[in-house]
Amino acid sequence: MRTIHAVAGLAVVLAVAGCQRTSMTDFGGNNTISPAPLQAQPVPTVSSNQLPDPTQDASQFPAAPVSGTAAVGGVQPAATEVAAATNALDVTKEAMVGNWRVSNAGSSCDMFLTLTNLGSGSRGGTRGCAGELTAMGSWEVAGKQVVLKDRNGNPLARLFKTADSRFDGSTNGGQSISLSR
């Protein structure tokens, strides 16, 4: 029985050794030649000019953001959101993952949030929602606010944590929205 095992083991070793590729040939047996190096291309001349003084013309700069709030997607939050932001509880992405019940404009629906990356946010979606939330495709945490975004990455709604399992805010259209578990 030991002889059979030794012969079988030797046959496996020889078969594997015969499968190794030890030469620089293609499958047809022809020697392969490495590609020729690329030729250097001419580079156009570089010009230089003095940049204008940024302190002379302030109109080229955007307006400063409202103190204590973050403008996500270039849209400043409403005054009620500024007040909510000052009283908001801390929020983490990990705490947001999972199923949420959404109340929006007198109706309710489901929202699912994951940590799977999608653009600048994480993947999310809704089921049974109406209005702006039907286009929801991603979300992100920005400071103490949760920003719901459409499939193109544009903000749809902003929410702030008001209790352990509750978030309140408003959509870009001005409708109130809340998430709860």
Side-chain angles (χ1 to χ4, degrees):
M1 187 63 120
R2 290 182 187 221
T3 309
I4 294 173
H5 289 294
V7 171
L10 184 59
V12 169
V13 169
L14 290 174
V16 170
C19 292
Q20 291 181 344
R21 185 176 176 149
T22 58
S23 66
M24 293 294 291
T25 61
D26 62 10
F27 291 112
N30 302 322
N31 285 337
T32 58
I33 300 173
S34 59
L38 294 175
Q39 297 297 321
Q41 297 296 316
V43 178
T45 59
V46 177
S47 63
S48 66
N49 291 326
Q50 185 66 27
L51 293 174
D53 185 5
T55 60
Q56 298 300 317
D57 183 16
S59 66
Q60 64 184 341
F61 299 107
V66 177
S67 176
T69 62
V72 177
V75 179
Q76 292 292 337
T80 56
E81 290 178 353
V82 173
T86 58
N87 299 325
L89 303 172
D90 291 329
V91 61
T92 62
K93 283 186 87 166
E94 293 76 17
M96 295 298 301
V97 174
N99 185 28
W100 291 88
R101 193 70 185 155
V102 180
S103 296
N104 177 294
S107 64
S108 61
C109 59
D110 292 315
M111 181 177 293
F112 307 95
L113 305 178
T114 71
L115 288 178
T116 306
N117 290 336
L118 180 66
S120 65
S122 297
R123 188 175 300 275
T126 60
R127 180 176 57 196
C129 292
E132 296 175 82
L133 293 180
T134 58
M136 189 219 167
S138 67
W139 64 281
E140 72 175 340
V141 173
K144 290 186 174 186
Q145 69 180 334
V146 176
V147 181
L148 306 178
K149 298 179 176 185
D150 65 14
R151 291 173 188 90
N152 295 323
N154 302 314
L156 292 173
R158 290 174 182 76
L159 300 117
F160 297 93
K161 187 173 183 179
T162 56
D164 279 341
S165 295
R166 185 171 176 89
F167 289 81
D168 293 300
S170 62
T171 65
N172 282 352
Q175 296 177 341
S176 64
I177 180 174
S178 64
L179 304 180
S180 61
R181 289 192 191 197

